[in-house]
Amino acid sequence: MIVQSDMEITIDDFAKIEMKVGIVKKAERIEGTKLLRLIIDVGGEDRQIISGIAEYYTPEQMINKKVIVLTNLKPKMIRGYESQGMILAAGCKEDEEKGIKPSLLTPDSEVPSGTRIC
């Protein structure tokens, strides 16, 4: 069965999205929240990313983890911290209601940080 999304984009729209492999260098919980403050190397450039995954991943589990980072997302202030991208995961809010917890997307082989996702 083919399921079609209600919101289709063109290949030109997709080409605007920049994703890279990143390696988490630092991670800490933002007290009183479900947020982690991550410092991620995306190929010689460190990005601070605030992610709502603290109830699923500890800071210790995140250190040296390779993740997929959306790098050209407009920065946003979250709880007083600037988030400079987004890490990608399978499992969204509506999936949590079905008992599916977020699972971080990671490369399945060794690739260096900064490698583009295409």
Side-chain angles (χ1 to χ4, degrees), residues 80-118:
Y81 297 92
E82 183 180 55
S83 187
Q84 303 163 325
M86 177 186 291
I87 60 174
L88 302 184
C92 302
K93 293 273 186 225
E94 57 271 13
D95 297 315
E96 288 183 57
E97 295 168 4
K98 300 173 194 169
I100 300 169
K101 75 172 200 150
S103 177
L104 296 175
L105 301 185
T106 62
D108 69 353
S109 63
E110 284 301 311
V111 293
S113 64
T115 302
R116 289 196 59 217
I117 307 300
C118 48

Side-chain angles (χ1 to χ4, degrees), residues 39-52:
I39 303 299
I40 302 175
D41 173 357
V42 290
E45 175 190 1
D46 287 348
R47 296 283 186 102
Q48 174 174 265
I49 295 179
I50 309 306
S51 180

Side-chain angles (χ1 to χ4, degrees), residues 7-21:
M7 189 168 82
E8 293 180 340
I9 64 172
T10 67
I11 194 69
D12 292 333
D13 293 330
F14 181 75
K16 296 175 187 176
I17 299 170
E18 184 177 282
M19 294 178 281
K20 294 181 180 179
V21 174

